Amino acid sequence: MRVLWLVMLCLLLAACGGSGSNGAGDDGNVLTPEPVAGTARVTITTMGPAGGSVLNAAQFTLRLPAGVSLPTSTGSNLLPDGVLVPAVSGSYTGASFLQPAGAGSGALLLVNIANPGGVTVGPLATLTCQVAAGVVPTADAFTLENFSARDANGAVIPGITARVTLQTQ
């Protein structure tokens, strides 16, 4: 019986531990990760009155939200190659800054996309942006305005519209 009491006493003492911190751990504080910069991919998609609608060119302005930026080519206001990528092979893309980013607002871009053979409505292009640390953009924060779809003769095609979707990393 003495041995049983001794074993139980040893187990009780072994189970008791100190509650103080020894310098390791978080002392009960929740650790919050630091915000980091990221990447956002903005996809521009067209929609038309009929699924087979064809356009040869599109032009629009795109305002980026504050905290979202794009690289520029050295010595110009044009986007470098690879930042604006057409969705359809054989298409030509180009974008220039109409207005740089300001306090509380993002840059304003003029975007041109053309395909001599024409493309059906659907994905048009993808724009890769840098997102500042702590900024969480939404698709609604990117403003697409003055969208104009054109045919092979340069005439406006009515009924074709565009929308923006967003994927962040």
Side-chain angles (χ1 to χ4, degrees), residues 1-168:
M1 186 70 153
R2 286 186 192 175
V3 174
L4 180 61
W5 282 107
L6 182 60
V7 169
M8 287 177 48
L9 182 60
C10 287
L11 287 174
L12 180 65
L13 291 174
C16 292
S19 63
S21 175
N22 62 359
D26 58 15
D27 291 332
N29 296 325
V30 175
L31 299 177
T32 306
E34 292 292 322
V36 295
T39 303
R41 285 186 180 27
V42 178
T43 302
I44 296 92
T45 305
T46 56
M47 298 162 288
S53 297
V54 176
L55 61 130
N56 292 85
Q59 184 179 58
F60 55 90
T61 57
L62 181 67
R63 178 168 301 279
L64 305 179
V68 176
S69 61
L70 295 167
T72 58
S73 293
T74 305
S76 77
N77 67 341
L78 301 176
L79 288 183
D81 291 340
V83 176
L84 178 65
V85 178
V88 178
S89 178
S91 296
Y92 303 99
T93 61
S96 61
F97 290 93
L98 293 174
Q99 176 183 331
S105 70
L108 181 64
L109 293 173
L110 175 61
V111 180
N112 291 291
I113 302 168
N115 187 307
V119 296
T120 57
V121 291
L124 194 59
T126 301
L127 181 69
T128 303
C129 309
Q130 287 83 38
V131 180
V135 174
V136 181
T138 63
D140 294 338
F142 292 84
T143 308
L144 191 144
E145 297 174 334
N146 303 322
F147 180 81
S148 174
R150 306 282 176 151
D151 66 14
N153 296 319
V156 173
I157 304 171
I160 295 181
T161 59
R163 69 182 177 107
V164 171
T165 57
L166 179 67
Q167 177 186 8
T168 58

